[in-house]
Amino acid sequence: MKLIGLSGGIGSGKSTVARMFRELGATVIDADAIVHELQAKGTPLLEKMVAEFGGKILGDDGSLQRKTLGALVFRDPQALQRLNALVHPAVIQEMGKRIQAAASAGAEIVILDVPLLFEGQKRGSGSAALLPYAATVLAYVPRAIQIERTMKRDRCSADEAEQRLAAQLDIEEKKALANFAIDNSGSLAATQSQVSQVFEKLKKV
Ligand code: ATP
């Protein structure tokens, strides 16, 4: 079994590319989905987060208010570090379990869809430091298209899209770090054909 890391920048097509890999037969493990599950109402992780940041991060129904939490850590690197120290080990542990399950089920290519993979790779932290990736794949579009698609999908302003992009490593830097880059700036058919080609190459890494 081979572990492949997949990432992208905001609005660059990571989810689209992940879906195409899944359709080709890869097992895809979605780190974002794991985070959401582990932070669901009443979970031990959410309780720890409330102990650290206070009940204000919960809504009336007891579920996590991501916007409130985001605002708390957005301009406070120490708070972000405290949050990550709670969340990351739990996510990595759960990913480990799912990788094991995929291996037991005979999966050949397991793609881990991880939002800040290349940021971690650059800093030597996160899953990039902890998991033995055989290769990494980037869903790539030039910055201008990233902004345009994010604005359209999230109905946000260019300023908001720019601000969210600024919190991530520049897409061109990610491209330099990735073993494979899939250019998603054209049609979905053009992306599909690249995904198929990269999938064949991943079988040989
Ligand atoms: P994020 O990390 O911000 O959630 P993402 O990298 O997973 O985003 P997607 O959600 O796959 O990106 O794509 C962003 C938006 O662009 C979506 O609305 C998607 O439908 C659209 N999109 C993706 N690929 C293409 C394409 N080749 N042509 C046109 N639109 C596309």
Side-chain angles (χ1 to χ4, degrees), residues 67-86:
K67 275 199 172 159
T68 311
L69 181 65
L72 275 177
V73 300
F74 187 61
R75 284 199 175 79
D76 184 347
Q78 282 183 347
L80 180 62
Q81 217 173 1
R82 276 167 27 229
L83 176 64
N84 286 342
L86 288 177

Side-chain angles (χ1 to χ4, degrees), residues 9-16 149 153 164 184-188 191:
I10 291 165
S12 62
K14 185 170 66 72
S15 311
T16 304
R149 287 188 186 159
R153 185 193 56 186
R164 286 168 55 195
N184 183 38
S185 59
S187 66
L188 288 173
T191 299

